[in-house]
Amino acid sequence: MELKEKLLSSFWGLDSSVEVAEHINDLRGDAIKVFEQYGFPSKKQEAWKYTSLNKIVNRDYVLEPKGDIAVDFNQVKKYFLHDLDSYAIVFIDGVYSAHLSQTTHDGMDICLLSAALTKPRFRAIIENYFNKAANSESMVSLNTAFASEGAFVYIPKHKSVEKPIQIIHFSTGNDSALLLQPRNLIIADENAHVQIIERYQSLSSHPVFTNVVTEIFGEKRSQIDYYKVQNDFEDASLIDHTFINQETESNCSVHTFSFGGKLIRNNLNFSQNGEHVESTLKGITIIGEKQHVDHSTLVNHNSPNCESHQDYKGIFGDQSTGVFNGRIIVDKLAQKTNAFQANNNILISDKATINTKPQLEIFADDVKCSHGCTVGQLDEDALFYMRTRGIPKKEAQALLTYAFANNVLETVKIPELKQRINKLIANKLGVNIGFNL
Amino acid sequence: MLKIKDLHASIDEKDILRGINLEIKAGEVHAIMGPNGSGKSTLASVIAGREDYEVTKGAIELSGQPLEELSAEERAHLGIFLSFQYPVEIPGVSVTNFIKTAINESRKGKGLEDMPANEMLKKIKEKSELLEIDRKFLSRSLNDGFSGGEKKRNEIFQMAMLEPKLAILDETDSGLDIDAMRIVADGVNTLKNADNAIVVITHYQRLLDYIVPDFVHVLYNGRIVKSGGKELALELEAKGYDWIKSDVTV
């Protein structure tokens, strides 16, 4: 059976014994119809021109893993920032793992989406926010149809979460190939502050295909810093859809670090719905072999006096391929918009490819929008210069790469995370440099 | 220390060096002069190990060790230092981090442990004072936005830190005002001793007033066409290069 058919028939066989609000069931019913009509995206669609899902969707997946798989903390410790005091919401094959998690309901809610969807006291929040930022694109609809579990974070007004939250979705690969569809919902209410680190990680080399939707809401004057760490095994693929709705004077940053996996597609959509909103989108991609990373960003400037900053760096080796598709839409109401976008790439192999495409649609007349993309190689003169000072070629390349990517790391506010990213970069480049930039 | 024998080198199949013979002993200062395009910078790059150049004939050795098969970093570990005519700007890497990395990688290359932090600090302090380098300067990105003089001072600072056996100063005087030239020259003279050697590549005689050479060589068309003492530099300054050119049968 084709994957699409299998998903459709699985939907109608979903366990309906879990009580959720009627409107959620309606949403799911509508969503599966969208997926039924459009199916998996193909390269014929402009938005998927350079990213083919063929190899991923043309294989059989287990849709409902057995769950309940015991995973020892020591086995997965390295995927946590374990030197960091933090909250943690951890899933194994889509099932919540209580013993790896540290959740709370004390003055805020850091817990499970399933709890929020079913408990009456969350009903108003779910009605206000669930599926209100997500769009109805086919892959998003597919997730919405099956959405039942993931992280749920609600930070009430004026609350600053004192430590970061780690959201980690593990897949064990105990089933041969696994399809996971987590759904995360993050809400920072008025003047709330929160930092979140998110990771999808397989624990074996079995194929895993994750199609995740995360909705993030930043109410007035809220501050959200969201970090995505993507360094998965060679047969793990991730289609990520992250939607951020921001209200007046809110500030939200998303940093995406893509260092590994078979295919990664990051759809990152910002919607600025009040004045003086600030949005930051940054990323470092370092891949090799036949890996593929696609960043498709969209910033909707809907209100006046807002800013957006995008800065994506890519380093592509071997036969890897990259895509950057950065779309900025400035509504005619959004006067005094300041939108900046940069995408800089280095190809360190003749066979690596990057397709980069800025897309600005500006309907207001008093705005500042700039964009720039570059594709180049590591500077040969700089490499020779460093080598004449005794720095070996590999280390010199790494140092230049660090220097190239460095300004993306500057805005990472969690020192332990910054250090981890530095280490991951060094590992990725196969060097050990004795300092952090 | 350095022996160059009948060295031929080319880039993109174009011959640049056409038979260089040169011997430099420890404790000596050699100046290499010559008109533009004569091959001075190429010679420096070939000694330092730039891969763009192909050595088609001849040999280079440092203290008896043939260099042809060695990479630029391996040559640096043996004690060769090239001060660049145009030092490369590397935004995002500070002067301090760069020099620390260079020193520790060089030590690693020699099988030594990293230099202890306090020793490193002391050395940085001592050598930056020698070159009259400001502390703030050390935390700036390497050569990024530096003036010509700052770049050259930074080159000599790195030389002071790395303590090479053979230092090649490629047009270190270009872009320097008289004060910066004095600082650079004083730095170089302080570093000079009986165990190391210095090669000064320059167009003009003026740097040689400060760094006084034992030998002066004139490079023209890829060959050393004339060698002499320091008075040769003065003669070149007075007469220009034309008399050299007309002397040579090409």
Side-chain angles (χ1 to χ4, degrees):
Chain A
M1 203 190 315
E2 276 195 23
L3 184 57
K4 183 182 170 187
E5 302 308 318
K6 188 169 177 176
L7 282 160
L8 289 173
S9 56
S10 154
F11 177 81
W12 299 114
L14 269 188
D15 183 4
S16 56
S17 65
V18 185
E19 278 290 317
V20 293
E22 193 55 35
H23 91 277
I24 302 281
N25 277 328
D26 292 346
L27 281 177
R28 288 178 177 163
D30 292 344
I32 198 70
K33 280 182 207 148
V34 174
F35 177 69
E36 184 168 16
Q37 188 179 346
Y38 297 102
F40 291 107
S42 81
K43 289 181 83 169
K44 285 179 194 145
Q45 288 161 258
E46 185 63 27
W48 292 84
K49 195 172 169 185
Y50 300 108
T51 297
S52 169
L53 296 185
N54 275 347
K55 280 188 186 147
I56 296 168
V57 301
N58 289 334
R59 77 186 330 160
D60 193 33
Y61 288 96
V62 173
L63 302 182
E64 288 163 77
K66 288 174 215 94
D68 223 17
I69 287 159
V71 170
D72 184 57
F73 178 66
N74 285 322
Q75 196 187 335
V76 297
K77 193 176 157 190
K78 62 182 172 189
Y79 301 116
F80 285 81
L81 281 173
H82 51 82
D83 47 356
L84 178 73
D85 187 19
S86 70
Y87 294 104
I89 316 173
V90 182
F91 303 88
I92 294 165
D93 292 343
V95 179
Y96 173 63
S97 167
H99 81 282
L100 292 176
S101 300
Q102 198 199 336
T103 58
T104 187
H105 290 292
D106 183 13
M108 56 190 160
D109 296 290
I110 297 172
C111 62
L112 309 180
L113 183 68
S114 59
L117 286 176
T118 51
K119 285 184 184 161
R121 77 177 181 94
F122 292 111
R123 181 149 292 185
I125 290 173
I126 292 298
E127 267 176 28
N128 268 338
Y129 295 105
F130 184 75
N131 210 44
K132 290 290 158 63
N135 64 19
S136 58
E137 193 253 306
S138 187
M139 292 299 287
V140 177
S141 295
L142 174 63
N143 178 285
T144 302
F146 288 90
S148 59
E149 191 58 293
F152 175 76
V153 173
Y154 176 78
I155 313 300
K157 286 180 186 176
H158 311 301
K159 169 90 189 168
S160 285
V161 188
E162 73 282 12
K163 50 192 185 184
I165 303 168
Q166 302 195 58
I167 299 173
I168 310 183
H169 293 262
F170 289 114
S171 54
T172 60
N174 286 18
D175 293 302
S176 55
L178 193 59
L179 174 68
L180 292 170
Q181 299 210 74
R183 178 86 172 206
N184 305 310
L185 178 59
I186 318 290
I187 303 142
D189 212 331
E190 205 178 312
N191 196 30
H193 293 221
V194 62
Q195 297 179 317
I196 295 173
I197 303 163
E198 171 208 273
R199 187 162 188 163
Y200 300 88
Q201 183 64 50
S202 47
L203 300 175
S204 78
S205 54
H206 280 131
V208 56
F209 172 21
T210 304
N211 178 45
V212 56
V213 172
T214 302
E215 292 182 281
I216 300 171
F217 295 86
E219 293 295 344
K220 282 180 196 168
R221 300 199 303 282
S222 62
Q223 166 82 49
I224 302 169
D225 296 304
Y226 207 96
Y227 304 96
K228 293 168 179 284
V229 182
Q230 303 172 338
N231 188 29
D232 215 340
F233 283 107
E234 60 196 16
D235 223 351
S237 295
L238 174 67
I239 312 287
D240 181 284
H241 316 265
T242 299
F243 298 92
I244 296 132
N245 275 12
Q246 285 186 259
E247 300 302 326
T248 305
E249 290 175 39
S250 65
N251 190 319
C252 178
S253 72
V254 176
H255 290 72
T256 308
F257 301 104
S258 311
F259 302 142
K262 183 193 183 77
L263 179 149
I264 299 174
R265 161 82 170 214
N266 288 301
N267 293 298
L268 183 55
N269 292 21
F270 273 80
S271 196
Q272 299 181 328
N273 304 323
E275 291 197 43
H276 303 288
V277 165
E278 218 176 297
S279 311
T280 302
L281 303 78
K282 289 192 171 193
I284 301 176
T285 303
I286 306 177
I287 52 169
E289 293 163 8
K290 288 186 173 177
Q291 295 171 325
H292 179 88
V293 171
D294 176 341
H295 291 287
S296 289
T297 67
L298 168 63
V299 179
N300 274 303
H301 283 272
N302 299 323
S303 305
N305 300 308
C306 294
E307 291 189 18
S308 67
H309 308 273
Q310 297 189 54
D311 190 355
Y312 282 83
K313 309 272 189 192
I315 295 113
F316 301 90
D318 304 328
Q319 298 175 59
S320 63
T321 47
V323 181
F324 178 79
N325 197 339
R327 209 169 153 209
I328 297 172
I329 303 174
V330 181
D331 189 272
K332 61 178 187 296
L333 296 175
Q335 299 294 1
K336 306 281 182 194
T337 287
N338 189 355
F340 169 82
Q341 182 187 85
N343 173 235
N344 305 105
N345 302 286
I346 287 179
L347 302 178
I348 51 178
S349 130
D350 294 342
K351 289 180 180 147
T353 312
I354 169 79
N355 287 291
T356 173
K357 183 175 145 197
Q359 213 178 326
L360 275 63
E361 298 162 39
I362 302 169
F363 301 99
D365 49 20
D366 184 14
V367 301
K368 247 202 283 186
C369 291
S370 67
H371 68 86
C373 48
T374 59
V375 180
Q377 272 109 38
L378 286 178
D379 183 351
E380 285 294 328
D381 289 335
L383 284 176
F384 178 60
Y385 180 80
M386 296 167 107
R387 294 174 71 187
T388 65
R389 306 296 140 100
I391 301 173
K393 191 175 180 185
K394 209 164 148 192
E395 279 72 15
Q397 284 175 333
L399 208 53
L400 280 185
T401 308
Y402 264 122
F404 171 72
N406 189 35
N407 61 333
V408 170
L409 283 175
E410 268 168 19
T411 41
V412 173
K413 290 178 192 156
I414 305 169
E416 292 86 350
L417 177 65
K418 196 186 260 187
Q419 208 162 359
R420 174 65 65 89
I421 299 297
N422 267 321
K423 259 189 205 153
L424 287 175
I425 293 177
N427 282 346
K428 193 73 198 175
L429 301 169
V431 296
N432 183 14
I433 288 180
F435 66 90
N436 293 317
L437 287 162
Chain B
M1 176 186 291
L2 183 76
K3 274 188 193 154
I4 300 178
K5 236 174 155 180
D6 194 27
L7 181 68
H8 291 248
S10 64
I11 188 165
D12 301 331
E13 292 178 16
K14 199 176 141 207
D15 293 335
I16 311 281
L17 303 183
R18 305 153 185 251
I20 303 264
N21 290 290
L22 183 63
E23 187 172 348
I24 296 173
K25 296 197 175 77
E28 292 177 351
V29 176
H30 289 239
I32 296 177
M33 303 181 73
N36 275 329
S38 57
K40 300 190 300 291
S41 286
T42 298
L43 178 60
S45 294
V46 170
I47 297 170
R50 183 144 197 159
E51 287 157 354
D52 303 350
Y53 294 98
E54 194 190 343
V55 174
T56 49
K57 200 179 162 194
I60 317 178
E61 57 183 52
L62 185 79
S63 310
Q65 162 123 32
L67 297 183
E68 292 84 9
E69 301 298 320
L70 300 184
S71 65
E73 56 268 33
E74 286 167 328
R75 295 178 198 209
H77 299 165
L78 285 179
I80 292 178
F81 178 88
L82 170 62
S83 168
F84 278 47
Q85 183 178 359
Y86 303 108
V88 181
E89 300 191 0
I90 306 178
V93 180
S94 72
V95 175
T96 314
N97 277 339
F98 183 73
I99 196 64
K100 276 189 203 163
T101 308
I103 283 189
N104 284 331
E105 290 295 342
S106 294
R107 290 174 68 100
K108 212 190 281 174
K110 293 174 200 156
L112 299 172
E113 296 281 301
D114 280 2
M115 183 180 280
N118 56 345
E119 197 180 316
M120 181 81 78
L121 270 172
K122 213 178 118 201
K123 194 164 181 179
I124 289 175
K125 190 168 180 286
E126 180 194 328
K127 303 300 181 188
S128 58
E129 278 168 7
L130 174 67
L131 274 305
E132 298 181 29
I133 286 174
D134 193 56
R135 282 190 80 78
K136 270 183 250 155
F137 180 89
L138 296 171
S139 55
R140 282 170 63 187
S141 280
L142 188 68
N143 294 324
D144 188 20
F146 287 15
S147 70
E150 286 173 330
K151 282 181 184 172
K152 295 299 170 70
R153 254 196 284 170
N154 183 33
E155 291 292 274
I156 305 306
F157 166 66
Q158 292 182 41
M159 173 185 158
M161 291 294 295
L162 290 164
E163 297 174 345
K165 272 204 220 163
L166 175 74
I168 305 161
L169 312 182
D170 188 5
E171 308 256 350
T172 295
D173 50 338
S174 68
L176 289 190
D177 59 31
I178 206 78
D179 291 331
M181 185 142 72
R182 184 190 48 77
I183 295 169
V184 163
D186 285 352
V188 171
N189 287 329
T190 312
L191 299 170
K192 205 188 111 183
N193 62 41
D195 299 322
N196 61 22
I198 292 164
V199 178
V200 180
I201 293 175
T202 181
H203 261 302
Y204 305 105
Q205 197 269 335
R206 60 172 197 166
L207 180 63
L208 303 181
D209 287 340
Y210 298 90
I211 305 173
V212 181
D214 302 301
F215 300 95
V216 175
H217 311 278
V218 181
L219 195 60
Y220 179 61
N221 232 340
R223 291 194 190 99
I224 289 174
V225 294
K226 203 166 182 61
S227 294
K230 63 183 176 211
E231 63 289 344
L232 178 57
L234 293 167
E235 199 176 350
L236 287 166
E237 185 79 359
K239 295 192 193 170
Y241 287 109
D242 285 348
W243 65 281
I244 297 274
K245 292 181 192 173
S246 55
D247 267 14
V248 178
T249 44
V250 183

